[in-house]
Amino acid sequence: MNPEIKTILYSEEDLSKAVSELGNKLTSDYEGRELVLVAVLKGSVLFFADLMRCIDLPCTIDFMAASSYGSSTVSSGKLNIKKDISCDIKGKDVLIVEDILDTGTTLSYLKDYLAQREPASVKLCTLFDKPARRKKPITADYSCFTIDDQFIVGYGLDYDEKFRNLPYVGILDPGYCK
C-alpha cells in the first residue's frame, strides 16, 4: 500500500464484484435498446473499461472530458469541457459513466447538455456516490457504492493526476494534500 493512502476502502475484488453485478443489471435494463456508453474522462476510464466488458449487449461508446476540480480536493464549481462526444445520440439511450458523483456540478451539466441532442434517454452511472457533498439536485440512476465525505483515489480516481493506477480505492491521507 502507498504511504499516502490512509486506508484501503475497496479492494480489487470488491470493485470487480460490484462492477460485474452492475453490468448484469445494465444488460437486463437495456436489453433490446440502442445503448451508447459515454465515459467522462479521465477518472472513469478503468471503471468504464471493466463495466462495458460486463454488459452483454451490443453497444457503442464515446468519450467526454470535463472537470470541475483541477489540482484540488474540492470542486471549483466551474465546469470545463475539454472534449465532446463525436457520435449521433438522437433516439438512442445514453448512459453517462463517471467515476464519482460528488457535488453534481459536472454530471448535472453533462446530462442537460446531452439531453439537448434528443436521445431516447440520458441516465447516470457512477462507481461512487458521495451525497454529502451534493450541491445540485441530481442522483445516479446506477451506482456501485455510496461513500462518506472522504477524498478517495485509485482505480481511475486521482489527486492532481496521481494514484489513478492503483488497483484498489483508498482514502488519501489529508496530510498529503496541498
Side-chain angles (χ1 to χ4, degrees):
M1 185 168 82
N2 291 32
E4 299 89 355
I5 306 302
K6 189 167 98 175
T7 186
I8 293 176
L9 196 57
Y10 296 102
S11 69
E12 272 185 271
E13 295 78 22
D14 296 333
L15 295 165
S16 179
K17 180 177 183 229
V19 171
S20 178
E21 289 172 358
L22 181 56
N24 290 335
K25 171 90 172 119
L26 293 168
T27 298
S28 174
D29 289 359
Y30 284 96
E31 187 174 353
R33 297 163 77 179
E34 197 169 355
L35 179 61
V36 179
L37 301 171
V38 177
V40 181
L41 299 174
K42 300 177 191 173
S44 73
V45 72
L46 297 178
F47 171 49
F48 184 77
D50 288 346
L51 180 64
M52 70 181 195
R53 287 190 299 246
C54 293
I55 298 172
D56 191 20
L57 297 170
C59 58
T60 58
I61 65 170
D62 210 331
F63 302 90
M64 293 189 82
S67 177
S68 64
Y69 277 86
S71 297
S72 174
T73 62
V74 179
S75 173
S76 68
K78 192 175 187 180
L79 188 67
N80 181 18
I81 292 185
K82 298 176 182 179
K83 185 207 177 310
D84 201 346
I85 62 171
S86 56
C87 69
D88 180 12
I89 59 171
K90 186 173 183 173
K92 299 174 183 173
D93 292 293
V94 175
L95 186 64
I96 301 172
V97 181
E98 175 65 299
D99 54 359
I100 190 164
L101 174 52
D102 190 350
T103 64
T105 301
T106 299
L107 287 176
S108 179
Y109 181 87
L110 293 180
K111 186 174 183 180
D112 292 344
Y113 180 76
L114 293 177
Q116 295 173 16
R117 298 182 189 183
E118 302 177 30
S121 68
V122 178
K123 293 194 176 181
L124 304 176
C125 176
T126 64
L127 179 60
F128 295 102
D129 186 6
K130 192 191 295 186
R133 305 252 320 143
R134 200 81 78 242
K135 292 182 180 177
K136 299 283 183 179
I138 190 168
T139 58
D141 298 285
Y142 300 95
S143 184
C144 290
F145 303 101
T146 299
I147 61 169
D148 294 328
D149 188 11
Q150 300 172 347
F151 197 84
I152 57 174
V153 295
Y155 194 66
L157 293 104
D158 74 303
Y159 171 72
D160 198 18
E161 296 299 326
K162 296 172 185 74
F163 307 109
R164 290 190 194 278
N165 62 319
L166 297 177
Y168 56 83
V169 171
I171 299 170
L172 189 62
D173 185 337
Y176 178 78
C177 302
K178 297 175 187 172

